[in-house]
Amino acid sequence: MDFTPSEEQSAAQGLAARIFGDLSTHERLAAAGTGTDAELWKELCAAGLPGAVEDIGLLGLVLLLEEQGRTTAQVPFAATGVYGLLAIAEYGTAEQRERLLPGLRDGTAVATGAFPAQGGVHTSDGALHGAVPWVPWLRDATQVLVADADRALWIVGAGASGVAVVPVETTAPWAAGRLVLDGVRGERLGNGPEAYAAVLAAARTAFAGLQAGVCAGSLARAVHHTVTREQFGRPLSTNQGVLLRAADAHMDTEAIRVTAYEAAWRRDDGREYGTAALTAAWWASEAGKRVVHAGQHLHGGTGADLDHPVHRHFLWGRQLDAYLGCGSEVLEELGLLLAAGRQEDAS
C-alpha cells in the first residue's frame, strides 16, 4: 500500500487548504447560521476543485474533505463528490455522464444521496414512493441519488413533481431535509445492488475523511488552548492528564485518517474495499466521538461556550458519528461481512 498523494492530489489539497483557511472563518460560519456558505462554494467551484474529483479519485476527495473538516466549512462537497461526481462517472451511461457531470463540475448543480437503503423508499410500476427522514444538504441539492428497498439506485430531480423537501435542522448545519417521494419517476443509475454497495462504500470512506479533518481541527484548537492558557503559573499542556488525553486524541485521529486513506486507495486501485470502508466508518464513528469530546473537555469551561469554534467541531463530530451509522451498527455489519467471507473460503 502506498498512500503518498500524487502531484495532482497534493496540488488540489494545497489549494483547498488555502481556500478553506481563508474563507471558512469563525465569523463567516457564525454569519451563515445553519445554511450553506454560498460564496465559499462558488469559490471552490471557480477554482475547479469539484471538477477535479474525477481525476484525483476517492483518495483525492478524502484529502480535500480533510481540509473542509478542519474548518467545518458549510458546503455540500462530500455529498456532491460521492453521490454525484464519482457515482455518475462510474455507473452512469455515456448519455448520463455527458448530461449530468458538467453541472456538477462547475457547481451549477448539487447532488446528495438518500442513503443508506433502510426500506423507506419503494418502487411501484417505475415510480418511487416513501420518505427518508433526513438527507444531508438536501435543501441545496438539484438532484438526489435515491436507494430503494431493493438497493436499486435512482436519480431524482429535487424540484420534480412528486418530490417534497421538508427542512430539518440537525446537529451540524448541513442544510438537511426530509425527502418525501409521491409517485416520482426516477432515472436508473447502474444495475442493482452492486452499484449501491460501491456508492455506499465510497460515501462511508469520504465521510470518514471528513471526520478525520473535523478531529484534526478540534485537536489543533485544544493544543493551542492548553499551550497558551496557564494555571498555577504554568501552561495547561504541562499537566500529565492533559498530555495523555491529547495523545489519545491524536492516535485516534491518525487511526481515522489511515483507515480512510486505505479504503480510498483500495477503491482507486481497483481492489475490493467494502470491509476497508466499514473499518474506516467504524473508526470515524467511535474514535471521532472520543476526539471531539476530548477537544471540548480540554478547553475546560471555555468548551461549554456554544459560540466557541471548538463547539462546532463537537457538533460535526457527533453528527458524523450518527450519519455513519454509530459504531455498534457499523461493527455488526463488518462482523457479518467478515463471517460471510470466511464461510465462502471454507466452502
Side-chain angles (χ1 to χ4, degrees):
M1 292 182 287
D2 183 5
F3 305 150
T4 304
S6 66
E7 184 177 343
E8 292 79 7
Q9 290 169 338
S10 294
Q13 184 182 22
L15 180 58
R18 181 178 63 78
I19 295 174
F20 284 126
D22 289 346
L23 298 181
S24 187
T25 61
H26 176 59
E27 293 74 22
R28 285 177 63 95
L29 288 169
T34 61
T36 293
D37 187 335
E39 288 302 314
L40 174 56
W41 181 240
K42 182 179 179 180
E43 186 70 21
L44 291 167
C45 293
L49 288 174
V53 169
E54 295 162 78
D55 295 324
I56 61 179
L58 184 54
L59 179 56
L61 177 59
V62 165
L63 294 172
L64 299 183
L65 293 177
E66 261 196 274
E67 301 305 327
Q68 178 186 354
R70 289 180 200 276
T71 60
T72 59
Q74 293 171 200
V75 289
F77 208 151
T80 294
V82 290
Y83 298 127
L85 289 158
L86 291 181
I88 294 171
E90 185 170 3
Y91 290 102
T93 63
E95 189 276 332
Q96 286 174 323
R97 292 195 296 271
E98 182 178 356
R99 172 166 47 89
L100 299 174
L101 287 177
L104 294 170
R105 291 173 186 143
D106 64 21
T108 56
V110 172
T112 190
F115 269 67
Q118 296 179 335
V121 177
H122 301 272
T123 308
S124 176
D125 296 327
L128 298 170
H129 301 265
V132 181
W134 75 275
V135 178
W137 290 288
L138 180 60
R139 282 177 278 166
D140 293 333
T142 57
Q143 64 188 55
V144 187
L145 186 61
V146 178
D148 68 17
D150 296 321
R151 301 191 172 186
L153 298 182
W154 303 85
I155 301 173
V156 174
S161 176
V163 176
V165 175
V166 182
V168 172
E169 297 302 337
T170 58
T171 302
W174 286 1
R178 172 181 169 85
L179 179 67
V180 181
L181 303 173
D182 185 16
V184 64
R185 293 195 172 273
E187 181 179 345
R188 278 296 297 269
L189 182 73
N191 295 309
E194 180 184 350
Y196 166 80
V199 173
L200 178 58
R204 283 169 165 159
T205 304
F207 281 93
L210 185 61
Q211 181 76 300
V214 169
C215 291
S218 175
L219 184 57
R221 291 188 182 279
V223 169
H224 179 266
H225 177 80
T226 56
V227 167
T228 56
R229 186 69 175 264
E230 290 190 357
Q231 189 176 56
F232 305 119
R234 58 195 180 99
L236 288 172
S237 60
T238 60
N239 183 294
Q240 187 178 40
V242 171
L243 288 171
L244 292 174
R245 191 77 187 275
D248 286 342
H250 171 72
M251 293 304 295
D252 275 337
T253 301
E254 288 303 300
I256 299 169
R257 177 182 289 116
V258 75
T259 51
Y261 283 8
E262 180 186 0
W265 172 82
R266 292 182 68 88
R267 183 263 185 196
D268 292 343
D269 203 48
R271 302 167 183 255
E272 190 282 324
Y273 71 108
T275 54
L278 279 167
T279 301
W282 181 82
W283 273 105
S285 177
E286 284 290 296
K289 183 166 50 181
R290 290 195 296 266
V291 173
V292 296
H293 274 268
Q296 191 171 42
H297 289 169
L298 288 173
H299 277 75
T302 306
D305 182 357
L306 302 185
D307 294 324
H308 194 280
V310 77
H311 187 66
R312 190 176 291 108
H313 290 271
F314 172 78
L315 295 178
W316 275 66
R318 292 313 307 260
Q319 187 67 56
L320 282 162
D321 165 39
Y323 186 63
L324 288 165
C326 296
S328 57
E329 296 179 11
V330 175
L331 191 62
E332 179 184 15
E333 186 177 345
L334 178 59
L336 292 172
L337 186 60
L338 292 173
R342 288 178 179 175
Q343 290 177 353
E344 291 178 2
D345 292 341
S347 63

